[in-house]
Structures are given as structure tokens and as C-alpha cells.
Amino acid sequence: ASKLVKMYRLCAEQMSPHVEDQVVAEPFDDGPQDADTRLDRLGSDDGLGDRYNFGPVNFLLTPAERVNIGAYGHFDLADRAQTYAELLYVDSQNSIQLAPTPATGIFVDRDSPLLSADVQALLDTRLDPSAPAVLRRRMVEVGARVQENSSKLQQITFGVRGDIGFRDMKYDAYYAYGRTEFDNFTTNDVSRSRLEAGLAGCPAEYIQFVPECVPVNAFGAGNITPAAAEFIRLNFSDTLIFERQLVNASVNGNLFALPAGDVGFAVGVEWRDDQSDFTPDQAKQRGDIEGFNAQQPINGSFDVKEIFVEGLVPLLTGVTGAQSLTLDLGARLSEYSTVGGVTSMKAGLNWTPK
């Protein structure tokens, strides 16, 4: 069920044809290799090597569910003033299933009681016999990884709008607050530290801190017992919260008439404040999750104050080849709390063929 090769790799018997080897152990000081030292079960010249087939495990269609709740209302204060409010709540849930965790770069002590005498003898032939071996294995006994994603959005808007009473100009001023919380919960991943301790046969210095340690015999398909799988199984969750506050006030209408139509404009001010807070699982902060890089909590915020003006100038209307041709202009001055002042402008043509 196993074969030893010149490059000091151990390969357990495969699950099925064209499925990646369950176990591969290689020395930490793996040196130059030539073509005839390759494991014929790991790959072939025709590209049909035995690799793990994750297709049957991964979801092709991901189940999802979303609930939207909205409320809208207004109240007329006077002929030229109307208050309004908008409330929105969105709850989204979806689930993803991935193949079992690929454990890579796991160090195995040469003196592990789970290594056979033949393998230990083979490791002793290296330049540094005391160097650890490296394990690569698909952790099928732990089960498929399942990722549950949840997002909850809440948004409220309160404002007042109406006619100014000059020409057809109108005003609009409002305050908006939004908050979105993203939660991610993953099950059936693998703890790197527990796997290494289990592979080492649960050394005494580890048991004094984790007395429930279970030896993990990962050398061979199906050799990880249910108790060992439960010991190394790791479930974790991450949370990201994003919040935004916004205040906007603007006036818009028509300034004067040209032969092609009225010249329109809009001018206003805006203030925005954005905040975000990402909190990864403590296991992820320690870098203890197989298949994930270590991540640290991060949070931050910035605000911006802006002044903007926009204009629409009709150039042509009802002529050959153009039902209308309008010049679109705009400018925005922004002052960010992070990078300072920024100026942006736009210019474009809107053409409606005839």
C-alpha cells in the first residue's frame, strides 16, 4: 500500500483512479531530482495523473435565500415642503460546500511513533537526518468544508424636499444611515497545531496544555480515526461590519432657455463618513487554520466633504440625424480626511439619433 522512492517521498494507496494520493511525505531538505525519481501516481506525461477529484464534493449550485423589507412614506408640511422617510432591511444567506481541506507544509518529526521503521530508516539517509519531513494530504476523514455566509443590511433615510418658488427650481435635503454586517462561519477545517501535535504522537509537553490530544495516523487512506478527526477539526467565523452616514443638500432646475431647450443645473453639498471593522477568528489570527493565511483585525474610517455642480446644455433638437444633442458638464470639489483635497470634472455629449 505504500512505495518508497529515491526522493524520499512516501505515497499511500490511492482512493480511486485519477484521484490524488491521500498521503505524501517528503523531506524538509528535498534536493535536486531527475525525471526518474517522480512518483508515477502523482502525474504522468499525458497529463492524466492521479489528482484529487474535488468536483463531486463542491457545490455546483449554491443554495441562497434573501428577504427584503422596505417601507416608504411622506408627509406634506406645506405647499412647498414635504418630509419623507425610507426604511430598508435585507437579510441574505447562502451556503458553499468545498472539498476537504488540503493539508500542506505540515512538519512531521522523524521520531514520531506513527512513522514506520522503514520510513524512519529512509529519512536517516538524508544529509540532515534530524530534519522534519513534510506532509501533504487531503483530509477526507474530517469531511467536506461547509461555509455559511450571512449579510444583514439596514438603511434609513429622512429628508425634506419641495419647490423653491422661483421658476421651476426644487430643493432636496436628507440624512441617510446604513449598516451592513457580514458573517462567515466555516466548519470542518483543520487546526494546523493540533494536526502537528497528533502526528508527533501527542508529546508530553503538548499534553500538559491540551490533555485531550489524540494521536493522528495520517499515513494511509482512511487511517485517521473518528476521534482523531474530531480532535483536529476546526470551525471558525469571521465578521466584517461596514457603516456609512451621509448628509446631502441640493438645488436643481432650469436657468434659462436656448433655441434647443432649457439649460438645466444642479448644485449641492455632501458629507459622508465611512467606517469598517473586520474581526477574524482567533485561530485565523494565530495562523492555525489549514488553507488560510494568518489575518489580523483591522478597522478604520474616513470622512469627506464635497461641493458639486452639474449642468445640461441643449445644443441641437429636431434636426437631421439628431433628435437631441446635449452637453453634460460637472465638477466636484472633495476634501478627504485621509488624502486631502481632490478635484474631479466631467464633460460629455448625450446624443439621441433621429
Side-chain angles (χ1 to χ4, degrees), residues 77 80-84 158-162 171-175 248:
L77 293 175
R80 295 176 178 173
Q82 180 187 79
T83 60
Y84 63 93
F158 298 102
V160 58
R161 60 196 174 198
Y171 67 90
D172 186 7
Y174 63 89
Y175 166 80
N248 182 288

Side-chain angles (χ1 to χ4, degrees), residues 341-353:
V342 176
T343 302
S344 56
M345 293 177 286
K346 71 171 183 176
L349 290 173
N350 298 322
W351 171 50
T352 304

Side-chain angles (χ1 to χ4, degrees), residues 34-341:
D34 48 43
D36 52 35
T37 64
R38 296 176 305 175
L39 283 177
D40 55 359
R41 303 294 296 212
L42 285 178
S44 57
D45 293 335
D46 59 9
L48 299 177
D50 293 323
R51 295 295 180 182
Y52 179 79
N53 184 10
F54 53 79
V57 185
N58 288 7
F59 279 170
L60 182 61
L61 296 176
T62 58
E65 185 176 288
R66 184 171 66 181
V67 176
N68 295 343
I69 301 175
Y72 311 89
H74 67 270
F75 180 77
D76 294 330
L77 293 175
D79 291 341
R80 295 176 178 173
Q82 180 187 79
T83 60
Y84 63 93
E86 301 176 357
L87 306 177
L88 178 64
Y89 175 80
V90 180
D91 189 332
S92 299
Q93 311 282 335
N94 68 75
S95 177
I96 301 173
Q97 179 168 295
L98 302 173
T101 299
T104 61
I106 300 296
F107 295 142
V108 181
D109 194 296
R110 178 257 175 240
D111 297 323
S112 170
L114 300 175
L115 289 177
S116 68
D118 288 342
V119 174
Q120 289 178 332
L122 179 62
L123 294 176
D124 287 341
T125 64
R126 299 173 298 162
L127 295 177
D128 182 4
S130 63
V134 179
L135 173 72
R136 293 188 289 126
R137 190 188 200 280
R138 186 69 69 157
M139 309 301 290
V140 295
E141 295 90 344
V142 179
R145 290 169 290 172
V146 178
Q147 189 177 90
E148 301 285 348
N149 301 303
S150 169
S151 67
K152 294 179 173 61
L153 179 148
Q154 304 147 58
Q155 184 168 309
I156 59 173
T157 303
F158 298 102
V160 58
R161 60 196 174 198
D163 296 328
I164 292 179
F166 178 73
R167 296 181 180 269
D168 59 352
M169 296 185 184
K170 299 180 179 181
Y171 67 90
D172 186 7
Y174 63 89
Y175 166 80
Y177 169 80
R179 183 182 191 272
T180 303
E181 181 174 337
F182 301 93
D183 292 308
N184 168 280
F185 183 65
T186 302
T187 58
N188 293 340
D189 215 294
V190 172
S191 165
R192 189 179 189 89
S193 61
R194 290 194 168 211
L195 177 56
E196 290 185 346
L199 288 170
C202 296
E205 59 269 22
Y206 186 82
I207 292 180
Q208 65 176 327
F209 297 106
V210 187
E212 69 273 18
C213 182
V214 178
V216 180
N217 183 5
F219 304 99
N223 281 354
I224 297 179
T225 65
E230 185 61 30
F231 172 65
I232 63 177
R233 179 178 286 110
L234 179 62
N235 303 329
F236 66 93
S237 61
D238 301 328
T239 299
L240 171 64
I241 297 176
F242 175 78
E243 293 181 299
R244 166 174 286 179
Q245 296 186 80
L246 185 150
V247 177
N248 182 288
S250 63
V251 174
N252 67 82
N254 295 321
L255 291 174
F256 53 86
L258 291 177
D262 293 331
V263 176
F265 84 102
V267 62
V269 295
E270 184 172 288
W271 170 82
R272 294 191 309 276
D273 180 83
D274 289 348
Q275 301 182 30
S276 67
D277 188 351
F278 173 64
T279 306
D281 192 275
Q282 289 189 357
K284 184 175 287 187
Q285 296 180 39
R286 297 192 305 266
D288 194 34
I289 306 175
E290 272 298 316
F292 289 86
N293 292 326
Q295 285 185 280
Q296 299 303 314
I298 185 171
N299 61 76
S301 65
F302 72 91
D303 64 79
V304 56
K305 306 176 184 69
E306 296 183 321
I307 301 175
F308 60 89
V309 59
E310 298 179 355
L312 286 175
V313 181
L315 302 178
L316 298 173
T317 183
V319 299
T320 301
Q323 180 64 38
S324 66
L325 182 64
T326 304
L327 177 63
D328 186 0
L329 300 172
R332 183 175 292 254
L333 303 178
S334 306
E335 183 67 30
Y336 286 87
S337 61
T338 51
V339 297

